[in-house]
Amino acid sequence: CDASQQPVTHNIIRTHNQKKSGESNMSASASSSSSSQVTKRKARAISKGLSLPPTDTGTSLVDLTAELQGQDVNAQVQVDANTRVTLIDFTFMSTPYTFRITKWSGRGLRNFLELFHEHYAPLDESRFGRVDENDGFQGNSRVKLNCVLQASVDIMKCLAIIITKHQRSVLDYAVWYRENCKHEDPTYSQYITMLTCHCIVHQNFMMGGATWEVVEFQ
């Protein structure tokens, strides 16, 4: 399950402060400086209404609503503005979960930002920075946080896709994917899917209400 295999739809993830129709939003738009370096194609949709508090220090908190197996699930994304370590807290079927993502922290940030921009290009430079062929990513802490926030949304979208496809075998699939779908040079979709599967395994994420026939040693 790569995240790109399903269309981005706003009914999977929506922010609590999502703007009404007609208001300005964060839909991707090409800047003149970045569009010349990107092969023209239909832009992938950035989730509407995403925004971070106006601080570049401390921890930024954003509330989201995810649709998981037909249920609206409230999730809180916490992003450390200095390290970019991210926590996604939510409760699904009466069980609390915390997805902790450190992959894009420290030295992993540059690779993440380049994959992000390659996947979503063209992007609004004022909100998400830009990637130059020679100098790499260009942008301040604020735009880096916006990229991390969108990626956190993408992880919840990927989780929703896996749940829909594999139902009660979500954990089994995540274990299988981690062992069989490793990529030395992953695409953004593969990167997000692997992170989602890591979170599923680390949190022992299982579908609630599952029942099993008891098998015991005799």
Side-chain angles (χ1 to χ4, degrees), residues 6 21 30 86-87 94 136 138 152 157 162 177 194 200 206:
Q6 298 290 336
S21 176
T86 303
L87 302 178
S94 302
Q138 303 294 308
S152 301
K157 288 180 177 177
I162 294 173
Y177 188 92
M194 185 62 74
I200 290 170
M206 299 181 67

Side-chain angles (χ1 to χ4, degrees), residues 1 38 76 162 165 169 179 185:
C1 165
V38 179
Q76 184 179 73
I162 294 173
K165 180 67 176 180
S169 300
E179 295 300 319
D185 188 21

Side-chain angles (χ1 to χ4, degrees), residues 169-179 196-198 200-201:
S169 300
V170 170
L171 182 57
D172 291 338
Y173 173 77
V175 171
W176 176 87
Y177 188 92
R178 294 203 314 168
E179 295 300 319
T196 305
C197 289
H198 283 325
I200 290 170
V201 173

Side-chain angles (χ1 to χ4, degrees), residues 204-217:
N204 196 31
F205 183 94
M206 299 181 67
M207 294 295 293
T211 58
W212 305 92
E213 179 181 354
V214 176
V215 177
E216 296 177 333
F217 172 76

Side-chain angles (χ1 to χ4, degrees), residues 8-10 12-15 46-48 50 62 64-66 77 86 88 104 120 146-160 188 192 196:
V8 175
T9 54
H10 298 308
I12 293 179
I13 293 286
R14 56 188 179 277
T15 57
I46 290 288
S47 296
K48 296 180 180 180
L50 291 178
V62 176
L64 306 171
T65 299
V77 181
T86 303
I88 306 175
W104 49 55
Y120 277 116
N146 282 336
C147 295
V148 168
L149 174 59
Q150 176 62 43
S152 301
V153 170
D154 292 340
I155 286 176
M156 293 301 289
K157 288 180 177 177
C158 189
L159 175 63
Y188 178 79
I192 289 296
T196 305

Side-chain angles (χ1 to χ4, degrees), residues 10-11 13-21 23-25 47-51 63 65:
H10 298 308
N11 67 329
I13 293 286
R14 56 188 179 277
T15 57
H16 290 172
N17 63 335
Q18 185 165 349
K19 297 175 177 60
K20 297 179 181 178
S21 176
E23 294 181 348
S24 61
N25 57 52
S47 296
K48 296 180 180 180
L50 291 178
S51 62
D63 292 326
T65 299

Side-chain angles (χ1 to χ4, degrees), residues 20-52:
K20 297 179 181 178
S21 176
E23 294 181 348
S24 61
N25 57 52
M26 294 175 63
S27 298
S29 61
S31 65
S32 58
S33 60
S34 60
S35 60
S36 61
Q37 301 176 14
V38 179
T39 301
K40 290 185 177 180
R41 59 173 170 78
K42 184 177 180 180
R44 291 182 169 91
I46 290 288
S47 296
K48 296 180 180 180
L50 291 178
S51 62
L52 287 169

